[in-house]
Amino acid sequence: MIKEIKTLTLFASMMSLGIASSCQQAANKTAEKSADTTKKSKYLSAPLISEIYTADPSAHVFNDKIYIYPSHDVEAGTPENDNGDHFDMRDYHILSMDSIGGKVTKHEVALSVKDIPWAGRQLWAPDAAYKNGTYYLYFPVKDKQDVFRIGVATSKNPVGPFKAEPEPIKGSLSIDPAMFTDTDGSTYMYFGGIWGGQLQRWKDGKYDANGSKTDSQKENEPALSAKVAKMSGDMLSFDGEIKDVQILDKQGKPLLTKDHDRRFFEGAWMHKYNGKYYFTYSTGDTHYLAYAIGDNPYGPFTYQGTFMNPVQGWTTHHSILEITDKWYIFYHDTELSGKTHLRNVKVTELKRNADGTIQMIEPILN
């Protein structure tokens, strides 16, 4: 009883200091992490590989073969925090497979942080593209000032090794590059992420190292948005200005910062279906995958709903790909490790209703 009174008194004191919310977030994360390591779940899909930990799978078909460009999770011994310092990846291994359900090959190191001249630490979620006989690997990494930028590396082989350009892409910032080539041959990069992705620390083209650790902190204003830029012909730079990816509700109003169940957090992806552009993304701290539909690559996009419920583990990140007249979603969870920073990639079929809306996916079956 005495312990309970002391606990209540401490909590009341914390409330008066205005920090109860952050404590609750920390408690939620601790509970989730504990659940990860103890819960015996039944899963919709099995990990594609188990010899290394992989996450953030960006999938493409090149030359009639499926290639997956994931992060490579490692146990770095870094304490977990909201900046994501415990996600301390050092290199990339590309995966390939001839068909869904077929043998998965893990290839040798495609690119290492030590081979990127301007890099400091943390190679996060990559993506790839192909044009004019060259494969392009796009990657976010913190520079030597600890600011996330996006770089590009090239190879004549889809699995590398890749050679990084000497500088990051001019004007690039934040994380999670996702490459989309439209039917007219134009290629676009979608990118950005709040919290550890640092998007909230950029204003008027300048980075504020002392800026917010979470989002804009303006609860009743439009939420921070992902970014989109058209790529130049050589695929090494942006062709024109970086634009905001605007997500609107069905009344035409922007989603607000406080709308954590719907607003953009990170992990953008773009695909096209029946002439419409599907912008899909993670809601982050609420752990959903959501989607919005537009009429062109720049949007605006009208929010439609969520299409994947939370996976095991804190993060959720995906890609969507059409293969032989079926659609598939590549994603990750923590089935193998039970630890939020040691993940494994998976794939399952993505199904739609007759009107083009995406059916809900339940990654955990019990």
Side-chain angles (χ1 to χ4, degrees):
M1 184 66 178
I2 292 173
K3 288 183 178 180
E4 291 176 359
I5 293 171
K6 286 182 177 179
T7 300
L8 289 170
T9 303
L10 176 60
F11 185 76
S13 175
M14 292 165 70
M15 284 288 286
S16 68
L17 292 173
I19 60 175
S21 177
S22 61
C23 287
Q24 184 60 54
Q25 290 176 1
N28 289 343
K29 289 183 184 180
T30 300
E32 289 167 357
K33 186 174 182 182
S34 175
D36 283 354
T37 58
T38 59
K39 184 178 179 181
K40 301 298 182 182
S41 299
K42 292 183 179 179
Y43 302 93
L44 177 63
S45 303
L48 291 181
I49 63 167
S50 59
E51 54 262 50
I52 63 172
Y53 293 112
T54 53
D56 313 317
S58 294
H60 297 272
V61 172
F62 297 133
N63 299 321
D64 298 321
K65 192 165 187 165
I66 303 165
Y67 292 92
I68 305 167
Y69 297 82
S71 302
H72 174 202
D73 285 348
V74 295
E75 182 58 84
T78 306
E80 184 175 339
N81 59 36
D82 286 346
N83 288 328
D85 288 329
H86 47 299
F87 298 109
D88 192 13
M89 301 83 132
R90 287 86 183 268
D91 60 28
Y92 298 122
H93 287 265
I94 294 160
L95 312 179
S96 66
M97 53 200 302
D98 290 326
S99 61
I100 297 296
K103 178 184 176 182
V104 180
T105 300
K106 175 188 72 69
H107 297 273
E108 297 302 315
V109 173
L111 181 68
S112 174
V113 69
K114 63 182 175 60
D115 297 323
I116 303 168
W118 54 273
R121 65 187 181 111
Q122 293 185 284
L123 275 175
W124 281 15
D127 196 10
Y130 172 78
K131 190 167 285 190
N132 301 325
T134 299
Y135 296 90
Y136 299 86
L137 181 67
Y138 298 90
F139 56 89
V141 66
K142 285 181 177 175
D143 63 18
K144 298 183 189 305
Q145 288 72 47
D146 231 29
V147 179
F148 268 118
R149 309 278 184 174
I150 296 173
V152 56
T154 57
S155 177
K156 293 298 181 180
N157 192 316
V159 300
F162 286 84
K163 181 177 176 56
E165 292 294 301
E167 300 289 341
I169 296 173
K170 186 177 181 180
S172 68
L173 53 93
S174 197
I175 60 169
D176 292 353
M179 310 307 296
F180 167 71
T181 298
D182 206 346
T183 47
D184 66 356
S186 299
T187 299
Y188 302 83
M189 179 191 290
Y190 298 82
F191 57 98
I194 58 175
W195 288 34
Q198 300 180 342
L199 189 61
Q200 73 280 357
R201 294 188 176 182
W202 286 88
K203 186 177 181 182
D204 301 325
K206 296 181 180 180
Y207 178 78
D208 179 5
N210 298 314
S212 169
K213 292 183 178 181
T214 55
D215 51 35
S216 69
Q217 299 187 339
K218 298 175 180 177
E219 292 289 277
N220 294 305
E221 293 187 10
L224 292 169
S225 63
K227 308 296 180 184
V228 57
K230 187 177 182 180
M231 301 303 296
S232 61
D234 64 8
M235 300 288 281
L236 300 177
S237 61
F238 295 148
D239 181 11
E241 64 178 320
I242 297 171
K243 299 183 179 182
D244 289 340
V245 177
Q246 191 176 30
I247 305 173
L248 308 176
D249 65 19
K250 292 185 178 180
Q251 287 70 49
K253 297 180 180 179
L255 302 185
L256 303 181
T257 300
K258 65 183 179 182
D259 192 351
H260 288 212
D261 282 343
R262 299 194 299 172
R263 60 89 176 93
F264 170 80
F265 188 103
E266 63 184 3
W269 190 258
M270 173 61 67
H271 73 278
K272 194 174 183 179
Y273 177 76
N274 281 352
K276 296 290 186 179
Y277 296 83
Y278 285 65
F279 180 73
T280 56
Y281 59 95
S282 169
T283 64
D285 57 332
T286 51
H287 319 293
Y288 296 109
L289 289 181
Y291 73 113
I293 298 176
D295 293 322
N296 70 75
Y298 291 114
F301 300 94
T302 301
Y303 178 84
Q304 302 295 313
T306 56
F307 67 96
M308 180 178 268
N309 277 329
V311 298
Q312 178 179 288
W314 200 90
T315 66
T316 184
H317 193 117
H318 73 295
S319 59
I320 294 171
L321 182 63
E322 185 179 20
I323 304 170
T324 58
D325 299 323
K326 286 187 177 182
W327 288 87
Y328 294 89
I329 178 170
F330 296 76
Y331 64 103
H332 69 233
D333 64 16
T334 61
E335 178 181 348
L336 292 179
S337 73
K339 297 180 179 180
T340 197
H341 62 292
L342 299 175
R343 298 159 293 180
N344 45 257
V345 299
K346 298 184 171 186
V347 62
T348 194
E349 188 175 352
L350 180 140
K351 298 179 180 179
R352 303 174 202 264
N353 300 309
D355 61 359
T357 54
I358 302 174
Q359 294 182 14
M360 178 60 73
I361 299 168
E362 296 287 354
I364 300 174
L365 300 181
N366 63 331

